[in-house]
Amino acid sequence: MKRRTRTYRSTVGLFLAGGVLLTACSGGGTSDRSAAESGKRAAGPAPAAPGGAAADAAQPADGAEKADGLRESIAPDYLSTFALDVDTASYGYARRTLADGRLPGPETVRPEEFVNSFRQGYHRPAGNGFSVSVDGASAGSGGWSLVRVGLATKAAPSSAERPPAALTFVVDISGSMASSDRLGLVKTSLGILTDELRDDDSVSLVTFSDEARTVLPMTRLRDHRGRIHEAVDSMEPADSTNVGAGVRRGYEEAVEGHRKGANNRVVLLSDALANTGETDAEAILERIDSARRDYGITLFGVGVGSDYGDAFMEQLTNKGDGHTTYIADEEQARKVFVDQLPAHLELTARDAKAQVAFDPKTVEKFKLIGYEDRKVADDDFRNDSVDGGEIGPGHTVTALYAVRLRDGASGRVATATVRWMDPKSRAAHEETGSVGTGGIDGKLWGGRSIRLQVTAAAAYFADNLRGGTLPGAPGLGELATKVDELARSTEDDSVAKLATAIGRADRLKGGRADTGAGADEGEMD
């Protein structure tokens, strides 16, 4: 079946109300499971929350516009639908840019990737698929709250328990890669990975500059580690950046060395500054579409360099049924290629999508922060020919919403449904969870969930870098202080690094007191 790309209807009120923040977090809430392949439900949106379309059929399809530019969440505009994603490159690149003394460009900041970068502690399911948790807290400003939808896959297996891997490394050796933090870091990373892989794993190596060539055909690790290290060490920078040629050659090698029952991946390591040959992500992947469809080979992007083609790499991996990360040093390389390796290699869910239905009887308006490029038309939620996200074990994904309840509201606030296909049987499954007003009325800062506070801080930070004004968002100086306190209470080094990054951004912005006064009045972009 020819796959359809994700589409977005501009009449969906949630997205008229704002952006979508799909991120990696955790929370509490109810959860119910169903086997979607039983055919008991027709294709289309998930069941509506109470007070759905029928109750408001006479209202305008777009919803009523408020003085602050938002629209009320009246039916049928109460649904938020998006493809899942576990990318983290945007946050890694922002940290690198701030460490270099520069603010990241707003166009490179994706809030969901900031939040995806932190542990969440969700309950995990035993098998393939997801658990669903929904919780929240009061944002302490103008009646706004944060609602967090948390999705988690099963725990990642140990290296000894995972299936064998067949990996094709596609390495950029163009002139722009000629530095220790680019090609030098790539060589270090591949050396680490070569030592980490098992004897029954296989690797091949393709390099590209103005043209692509195979340096090493698919080779089992057993008794050949020295040969692989020599191939990696032989790479030297050359000329232009023909990413298209590299990806095509990489997929040819991956098909040639395809192993049934193994995790077959193409791993692209590049600064993604394409300047030769085909430079359109969709056109590049169209050329290798049959390899992706017939063999299920996905693309994992690893970005490097202070000047990095963030948008291009994200487009490639999104369309290549994969995900992307960014590494700036050897410590991050070890995290990706050692600590997180099984999560990057295996799949537990294909074409995963989420749909959140807000109850218009309790919710006045809402905004999903981030995930603008992962939106899906509501009617395509159960259309399994529409592309979703490929998710591996050990991952968490969270959607964080700014929600304003109606005065005196009591009852259900939101119901979240995640839908995915089993990677082997391709059978569709669903899981749901919900939250009521009592589950989001606690205070955020100093509240019972430290991880929710970290999630909120990462989202507020990203939104500030993009020039947004989320309700209840502290200024950067205050936010850095709060996150520093969270780092001490969690003893989590990643939270301490977030505090450092926020402090650097505050200084680069001149210590402006971005208190979000406009947001306190309910005004949102």
Side-chain angles (χ1 to χ4, degrees), residues 1 6 261 399 411 413 479 483:
M1 181 192 314
R6 295 181 296 274
V413 173
L479 188 61
V483 177

Side-chain angles (χ1 to χ4, degrees), residues 217-416:
M218 192 64 74
T219 302
R220 290 287 179 102
L221 269 290
R222 181 182 294 111
D223 300 327
H224 295 292
R225 293 181 193 272
R227 180 185 175 193
I228 296 168
H229 277 295
E230 289 176 2
V232 169
D233 292 341
S234 71
M235 296 187 297
E236 296 293 338
D239 301 312
S240 303
T241 310
N242 191 338
V243 176
V247 171
R248 287 195 302 274
R249 175 62 69 87
Y251 269 87
E252 290 171 0
E253 288 295 329
V255 169
E256 180 70 21
H258 182 269
R259 292 175 58 187
K260 189 175 181 178
N263 292 315
N264 294 270
R265 299 283 181 275
V266 171
V267 183
L268 174 63
L269 300 104
S270 174
D271 60 14
L273 301 175
N275 57 21
T276 301
E278 184 60 71
T279 58
D280 178 74
E282 190 159 1
I284 289 172
L285 291 173
E286 280 179 359
R287 295 177 179 269
I288 47 89
D289 187 59
S290 62
R292 292 163 52 213
R293 287 187 291 105
D294 297 343
Y295 293 90
I297 300 170
T298 58
L299 181 63
F300 175 36
V302 181
V304 296
S306 55
D307 293 318
Y308 168 55
D310 169 78
F312 182 62
M313 181 70 91
E314 190 208 15
Q315 290 166 10
L316 274 176
T317 55
N318 282 351
K319 295 177 185 297
D321 295 333
H323 62 283
T324 183
T325 190
Y326 178 90
I327 56 175
D329 53 38
E330 185 175 338
E331 178 185 358
Q332 293 175 12
R334 288 189 178 278
K335 180 179 179 181
V336 170
F337 292 119
V338 178
D339 301 340
Q340 301 174 344
L341 184 60
H344 294 307
L345 296 183
E346 289 193 65
L347 286 182
T348 58
R350 281 192 176 273
D351 289 317
K353 310 183 193 86
Q355 187 168 86
V356 182
F358 287 91
D359 189 338
K361 291 182 178 179
T362 57
V363 175
E364 178 185 342
K365 49 189 174 182
F366 51 92
K367 179 176 182 176
L368 180 54
I369 311 150
Y371 259 107
E372 289 84 0
D373 59 352
R374 304 292 286 180
K375 297 171 186 174
V376 174
D378 294 335
D379 288 343
D380 284 334
F381 177 61
R382 292 196 173 94
N383 183 346
D384 294 328
S385 69
V386 173
D387 190 27
E390 277 60 45
I391 312 296
H395 282 297
T396 56
V397 180
T398 304
L400 188 65
Y401 293 86
V403 176
R404 185 169 184 175
L405 298 180
R406 298 188 184 278
D407 291 342
S410 178
R412 180 167 296 190
V413 173
T415 298

